[in-house]
Amino acid sequence: EAQVTQNPRYLITVTGKKLTVTCSQNMNHEYMSWYRQDPGLGLRQIYYSMNVEVTDKGDVPEGYKVSRKEKRNFPLILESPSPNQTSLYFCASSPLAGGRRQIRSNEQFFGPGTRLTVL
Amino acid sequence: DQQVKQNSPSLSVQEGRISILNCDYTNSMFDYFLWYKKYPAEGPTFLISISSIKDKNEDGRFTVFLNKSAKHLSLHIVPSQPGDSAVYFCAASDRSSGAGSYQLTFGKGTKLSVIP
């Protein structure tokens, strides 16, 4: 089954304790992205990656790191989590192929989400 | 500056009636628009999309209308069913923007409740 998986699904941690949220996709997609969803703010992009070893900042990258050593995996790293990073996190992926940009769908496939609480 | 706006945080509709969810955008370079549906405890799932060269796209009970001059799009669900109760996100992309052409800019979402 084609899917994006995230682990863990739920995590409660304390301020300053490093954590990693894993994301993996089995669709051979080049593009991967991390979002956070907060009440009243919708989905905001944290980081994205166009391919292996190619990553770039989204709208809210502060306090986060990512890596893309393999095509299928795109972990999100919080080196020193703080309470304002309590949120619902989604990983997404998309193929870069699709012919001329005018016919490309830009559809992204989302994982099930990780609810993180930082105390 | 919010480039994609969904001004109604919530909407309640009677089962069988039409649901209309609205979305406005400010960036005239956006040329592709998508709607996602999100149930609690799940990730967003793609629902329907429309290119800027069209003004309407239909898929079963779901129709998206695009008014480029007004920078406005709407999602119509007819007839509405209780299973349609979810949060709906509008998203837009500028496919001409080089490395950014795969980026999606999301609205804040509208929570639809379909009452049986």
Side-chain angles (χ1 to χ4, degrees), chain B residues 33-104:
Chain B
F33 304 89
L34 306 88
W35 284 95
Y36 280 81
K37 180 166 75 171
K38 185 186 177 305
Y39 293 119
E42 295 183 13
T45 54
F46 171 75
L47 185 59
I48 193 169
S49 62
I50 188 167
S51 164
S52 61
I53 62 173
K54 296 184 176 181
D55 54 20
K56 176 183 174 181
N57 188 27
E58 192 172 353
D59 183 2
R61 296 185 297 114
F62 302 91
T63 303
V64 56
F65 296 91
L66 175 62
N67 182 336
K68 281 186 294 183
S69 61
K71 295 191 178 66
H72 176 84
L73 63 154
S74 60
L75 174 68
H76 292 213
I77 306 174
V78 183
S80 301
Q81 299 174 354
D84 296 328
S85 297
V87 176
Y88 290 79
F89 289 101
C90 173
S93 68
D94 169 9
R95 294 178 298 176
S96 66
S97 59
S101 65
Y102 290 86
Q103 303 298 82
L104 294 181

Side-chain angles (χ1 to χ4, degrees), chain A residues 2-61:
Chain A
Q3 59 183 349
V4 179
T5 56
Q6 296 179 225
N7 281 292
R9 294 289 313 277
Y10 302 91
L11 178 60
I12 301 174
T13 188
V14 295
T15 298
K17 186 176 181 181
K18 181 179 178 180
L19 67 91
T20 299
V21 183
T22 65
C23 172
S24 183
Q25 49 92 6
N26 61 2
M27 296 170 280
N28 202 36
H29 287 168
E30 292 84 2
Y31 180 95
M32 296 185 75
S33 180
W34 276 103
Y35 297 88
R36 61 178 287 174
Q37 182 190 3
D38 302 289
L41 297 177
L43 288 161
R44 296 180 295 167
Q45 189 179 51
I46 303 170
Y47 268 94
Y48 66 97
S49 170
M50 298 289 284
N51 216 324
V52 176
E53 302 292 358
V54 181
T55 63
D56 210 343
K57 296 177 180 178
D59 298 319
V60 288

Side-chain angles (χ1 to χ4, degrees), chain A residues 57-101:
Chain A
K57 296 177 180 178
D59 298 319
V60 288
E62 295 78 19
Y64 304 95
K65 285 175 56 178
V66 292
S67 70
R68 188 88 183 273
K69 292 182 169 51
E70 304 166 279
K71 196 172 186 180
R72 63 182 294 129
N73 296 322
F74 189 43
L76 179 69
I77 303 154
L78 285 72
E79 294 270 6
S80 182
S82 61
N84 64 13
Q85 293 178 297
T86 293
S87 187
L88 180 56
Y89 291 86
F90 292 101
C91 181
S93 73
S94 175
L96 289 190
R100 293 179 294 117
R101 67 168 177 83

